[in-house]
Amino acid sequence: MSLALLLIFVFLDLSIAGKEMLSIAEVVDALLGHGTWANDIIVNGHNVPRIVFGIGIGAGLAVTGGVMQAVFRNPLATPYILGLSSGASLGAALAIIFPISLIPMAITQPLAAFVLCFATMVLVYTISRSGGSLVKTETLVLAGVAVSSLISALVSFLTYVAPSEKMGSIVFWSMGSLGDAGWNEICVALPIIFIGIALMLTQSMNLNAMMLGDAHAMDLGVDVRRTRLFLLVVSSLVVAACVCFAGTIGFVGLVIPHMIRLILGPDNRLILPLSAVGGGAFVVMCDFIAHYAAQFFGVLPIGIVTAIIGAPFFIYLLCSRKKEVGW
């Protein structure tokens, strides 16, 4: 079903041409190089790169969300909720505002995003483990929200003091967008994302064991400490690669793994690979909505669309776990 939805929304997003929609024949002709010059520019020059980028970002964020929920044994743990996306955004914003002339932006921006993303994860996890106790649901979420709010304030401050020629692009970028995706950015980000996904998929069995608790996992032969550190480093790298060129696109890692878990159960050997397909379909669907809405509202950041869909889902999860966490 995820693959079918992905194919449907890929075609719909390919067919967007301003205020009009191209026909199936026109899209196919353009993809095969037999279409008109205008359709070739629209389909191959504009729509294909943003769809390829969207699939990669959706897959990366969804798999990372599934991994973090298993690592922390917490259904609310996602890169966006825990502030990792905000941390990566801060690193990318710093790289944009304070470029290093001797090093290309294609290197400094992802590197700065990864460093701040990983530092944010360590900070949130350290706060959550106050007194050396196990990480609790409410502590982890509250720590993530607090740190994310602080980092968002820093990003807002940098936007406020940024040169006027960079302010508009930073504001739009902080809301998430695939509009600036080009093949250069894709060639940098997608290898990191897909290698990271492959590495996380290799740990599916260990994640199943860790969801039973650290003691049970160690009894089954899992090196819990090393596995957790490995997965958190890889997760930070994938989130940084997703955020550094497309900005903050939230709630993908929350919605998709939960929907698949509700349908197929808690086995991470199924959840993680299907989350990759479902996440790609979700982001392409949201990009199509943002793309189509542009004719009514102007250019609409994709992060607004994912938030409109994901925020009610997050509220539902909070309410459904209210008695369990004692709120």
Side-chain angles (χ1 to χ4, degrees):
M1 186 176 69
S2 297
L3 185 58
L5 289 174
L6 176 61
L7 294 175
I8 290 172
F9 286 113
V10 163
F11 171 75
L12 289 174
D13 216 13
L14 279 173
S15 65
I16 286 282
K19 295 182 179 180
E20 300 178 356
M21 300 281 289
L22 300 178
S23 66
I24 296 176
E26 288 174 320
V27 172
V28 173
D29 284 344
L31 291 174
L32 296 177
H34 304 313
T36 64
W37 175 81
N39 288 348
D40 178 64
I41 294 295
I42 291 169
V43 175
N44 297 316
H46 186 256
N47 291 349
V48 169
R50 65 188 293 160
I51 291 172
V52 172
F53 203 32
I55 291 173
I57 289 173
L61 292 177
V63 174
T64 303
V67 166
M68 296 190 73
Q69 288 156 20
V71 167
F72 291 115
R73 299 199 302 277
N74 187 326
L76 303 178
T78 69
Y80 186 74
I81 301 299
L82 299 185
L84 270 65
S85 297
S86 298
S89 300
L90 178 60
L94 287 170
I96 291 174
I97 298 174
F98 304 108
I100 300 175
S101 58
L102 298 177
I103 305 177
M105 181 65 75
I107 296 176
T108 58
Q109 192 168 326
L111 183 61
F114 169 71
V115 171
L116 269 294
C117 178
F118 187 72
T120 302
M121 182 197 64
V122 172
L123 177 61
V124 171
Y125 189 67
T126 302
I127 294 173
S128 304
R129 285 179 58 88
S130 57
S133 59
L134 294 175
V135 177
K136 297 181 179 179
T137 297
E138 65 271 31
T139 308
L140 184 68
V141 174
L142 290 176
V145 170
V147 172
S148 179
S149 299
L150 174 62
I151 294 175
S152 296
L154 293 176
V155 173
S156 298
F157 174 74
L158 289 174
T159 305
Y160 182 73
V161 301
S164 57
E165 67 272 14
K166 296 181 178 179
M167 185 181 298
S169 61
I170 292 177
V171 170
F172 191 78
W173 170 84
S174 66
M175 297 180 186
S177 172
L178 302 178
D180 295 331
W183 291 112
N184 290 335
E185 290 78 10
I186 291 172
C187 290
V188 173
L190 289 198
I192 298 173
I193 293 172
F194 286 124
I195 291 173
I197 290 174
L199 291 174
M200 287 188 280
L201 291 180
T202 65
Q203 301 299 313
S204 297
M205 286 291 291
N206 290 340
L207 283 172
N208 284 346
M210 291 169 66
M211 289 178 67
L212 301 174
D214 289 359
H216 287 87
M218 286 187 284
D219 288 342
L220 294 172
V222 179
D223 188 333
V224 174
R225 186 174 180 180
R226 178 177 294 181
T227 302
R228 181 175 286 129
L229 178 62
F230 171 76
L231 287 170
L232 293 181
V233 170
V234 174
S235 297
S236 299
L237 195 58
V238 171
V239 171
C242 292
V243 172
C244 66
F245 293 122
T248 304
I249 300 176
F251 296 103
V252 181
L254 178 73
V255 173
I256 301 304
H258 274 292
M259 291 184 67
I260 295 173
R261 191 176 291 113
L262 287 172
I263 297 172
L264 298 176
D267 190 345
N268 286 293
R269 292 174 298 178
L270 296 175
I271 291 174
L272 297 185
L274 291 178
S275 291
V277 181
F282 180 71
V283 169
V284 174
M285 178 192 73
C286 293
D287 184 56
F288 167 72
I289 294 173
H291 211 161
Y292 189 76
Q295 59 183 306
F296 306 107
F297 306 106
V299 179
L300 188 65
I302 188 175
I304 293 178
V305 181
T306 60
I308 289 174
I309 297 174
F313 193 79
F314 179 59
I315 294 171
Y316 159 74
L317 287 176
L318 281 176
C319 293
S320 66
R321 292 178 59 84
K322 190 175 181 179
K323 293 182 179 178
E324 181 178 343
V325 299
W327 291 350

